[in-house]
Amino acid sequence: MSEEERQIQGIREAFEQEFERFAALNLDGMALSDAEARLQELRELRIRQTGKRSAIAGAMKLIGRVAPHERSAFGQLVQSVEKLIAGTIDAAEILLSDHISAARTELERLDVTLPGRRPRTGHLHPITILRQRIEDIFVAMGYAIEDDREIETDYYNFDALNIPEAHPARESQDTFYTTKGFALRSQTSTVQIRAMERRGVPIRILAPGRVFRRDTPDMTHTPMFHQLEGLCVDKGITMGHLKGTVTEWLKRMYGPDTVTRFRPSYFPFTEPSAEFDFSCFKCAGTGVFESERCRPCKGSGWIELGGSGMVHPNVLRSCGVDPTVYSGFAFGFGLERMTALMYNIDDIRHMFENDVRFLEQFR
Ligand code: DAH
């Protein structure tokens, strides 16, 4: 064997040695990242073994320099080794690439039978759910929904509502004053005045809103809560219309057997005034549920709900309405207690803590 032939033999052996780890590769179950790393190594090996500065490329350059009578045989030898090296690497690269694309496909495969992930959607607050139910009932009776500001002047908070100078509601122990002459409204009755000024009479409105009182929070009190105010003013409106309207609303809420009760009371902005109750939705007014004292009504059969009355002539006058021509009724009540009764919530503070575990129950 000539010197040159031995050299070529050496190149071939060196390649086979370096290639050994690829020849022994077991692709079965090989992870995608491993296969990609091996492919990268194989490409580096190709450059070393067949690139411009590789041993076999050097040998190719020798072909022209061997004696003419040996050139053809030597050339064939070099080319066959070059072909062997390139072909072996090609074959290994194809195997690795195929494995990689199969592994990628497997990774990206969609299992269309997997259950979907439920998107998190928002939902209404329990107070909003109740408010909307009540609004729907009154809108069906021809009422418009009215909204107004939460910070009011003394005039709208008190004067226009016929609340006397010395009334306890005006005291700063009960009302949140902002700056002098302004306070957070402590009842939605303020909207009666704004609405009559804006719309004139006749008028039929329902005004939901936040109200504020300096109460110490406990299971049944929070310094911010919600009220709904109703107002109806027209010619010839009587207490009968008030009772009929409130009773019809509660029948639509709690069923046709619901009855109401009006008890004489006092509010500065109505005369006469009455508080109203309705027969308990749980025990149907019997006070007993499943032979125990009924819980929502505490065994009385009645649930106390709100205040009402015939709009005081002074209030009508404040709004430029002539009380000798027009009369009206008004009523107002809190939403928290009704919501608590409806959903069996024992502590109304839960409604304002925004704990998702609480809120999620009202989907
Ligand atoms: N504003 C009263 C309260 O907060 C409730 C009320 C009573 C509203 C009588 C009225 C009414 O409109 O006529 O307790």
Side-chain angles (χ1 to χ4, degrees):
M1 202 192 286
S2 73
E3 173 65 19
E4 286 84 3
E5 282 169 347
R6 221 171 290 126
Q7 205 185 324
I8 303 307
Q9 190 67 28
I11 291 172
R12 180 183 170 157
E13 278 164 14
F15 165 73
E16 279 166 351
Q17 207 179 338
E18 202 186 356
F19 187 77
E20 217 165 289
R21 36 193 291 261
F22 290 97
L25 263 190
N26 179 11
L27 288 176
D28 254 4
M30 183 187 281
L32 178 59
S33 58
D34 284 347
E36 283 169 339
R38 294 297 91 72
L39 182 62
Q40 183 56 28
E41 287 165 19
L42 185 66
R43 285 176 176 157
E44 286 158 13
L45 179 137
R46 183 196 290 280
I47 291 167
R48 275 199 304 281
Q49 290 291 343
T50 65
K52 270 193 205 133
R53 269 175 288 185
S54 63
I56 196 70
M60 298 277 256
K61 283 183 205 136
L62 282 181
I63 297 174
R65 277 194 250 150
V66 295
H69 67 279
E70 291 172 354
R71 194 173 292 159
S72 157
F74 181 71
Q76 278 175 16
L77 176 65
V78 174
Q79 275 167 7
S80 73
V81 171
E82 199 268 344
K83 247 173 127 175
L84 172 90
I85 294 176
T88 308
I89 296 174
D90 283 348
E93 186 166 336
I94 287 168
L95 282 177
L96 264 172
S97 303
D98 284 354
H99 179 77
I100 286 169
S101 51
R104 282 210 183 112
T105 310
E106 181 61 26
L107 262 188
E108 287 161 11
R109 197 179 67 173
L110 275 183
D111 183 350
V112 294
T113 66
L114 276 177
R117 225 171 281 157
R118 185 186 289 276
R120 284 177 71 94
T121 53
H123 61 92
L124 298 177
H125 191 280
I127 291 179
T128 311
I129 295 172
L130 184 71
R131 170 172 63 73
Q132 292 186 346
R133 267 186 70 186
I134 300 171
E135 284 177 1
D136 285 349
I137 293 171
F138 278 94
V139 166
M141 296 199 280
Y143 281 67
I145 305 300
E146 191 78 24
D147 190 16
D148 222 295
R149 63 212 78 187
E150 290 169 1
I151 297 177
E152 270 295 6
T153 62
D154 282 350
Y155 175 76
Y156 288 97
N157 272 328
F158 307 117
D159 302 333
L161 284 168
N162 196 40
I163 298 176
E165 282 294 334
H167 196 278
R170 292 202 184 219
E171 305 221 341
S172 56
Q173 290 109 291
D174 298 317
T175 302
F176 288 107
Y177 282 91
T178 53
T179 49
K180 192 159 172 45
F182 290 89
L184 298 178
R185 66 179 178 200
S186 60
Q187 51 183 7
T188 44
S189 303
T190 55
V191 185
Q192 290 184 28
I193 311 299
R194 294 269 182 197
M196 274 193 278
E197 284 179 352
R198 195 164 36 225
R199 293 171 179 259
V201 288
I203 188 172
R204 255 182 294 178
I205 54 136
L206 188 74
R210 273 189 279 264
V211 298
F212 307 84
R213 285 182 198 176
R214 298 186 68 152
D215 280 328
T216 308
D218 61 26
M219 283 172 75
T220 54
H221 295 86
T222 48
M224 185 283 294
F225 57 100
H226 297 78
Q227 284 190 335
L228 260 169
E229 190 83 12
L231 173 71
C232 169
V233 178
D234 205 339
K235 289 177 182 158
I237 297 293
T238 68
M239 197 89 181
H241 294 111
L242 166 64
K243 293 177 79 171
T245 302
V246 169
T247 306
E248 178 61 21
W249 152 49
L250 290 166
K251 281 182 189 293
R252 290 194 195 181
M253 287 259 328
Y254 295 108
D257 295 333
T258 309
V259 292
T260 50
R261 177 172 84 171
F262 286 73
R263 290 175 286 111
S265 185
Y266 170 76
F267 298 101
F269 31 89
T270 42
E271 182 58 37
S273 304
E275 283 172 76
F276 59 92
D277 312 335
F278 66 102
S279 53
C280 180
F281 54 87
K282 188 112 184 203
C283 63
T286 61
V288 179
F289 185 75
E290 289 173 353
S291 56
E292 303 239 1
R293 193 178 80 133
C294 179
R295 267 172 52 117
C297 65
K298 299 198 181 77
S300 75
W302 294 99
I303 292 182
E304 297 179 9
L305 193 51
S308 66
M310 300 306 291
V311 182
H312 197 289
N314 288 349
V315 173
L316 293 174
R317 250 179 246 120
S318 302
C319 305
V321 178
D322 183 350
T324 63
V325 181
Y326 286 95
S327 58
F329 65 78
F331 58 91
F333 59 94
L335 276 178
E336 275 69 9
R337 208 168 76 88
M338 263 187 119
T339 307
L341 289 171
M342 182 154 108
Y343 289 113
N344 237 324
I345 299 165
D346 57 1
D347 187 335
I348 69 165
R349 287 173 296 189
H350 289 317
M351 297 185 201
F352 307 115
E353 283 161 357
N354 288 335
D355 185 329
V356 180
R357 291 168 301 179
F358 171 78
L359 294 174
E360 272 178 348
Q361 302 174 63
F362 307 98
R363 281 184 181 283

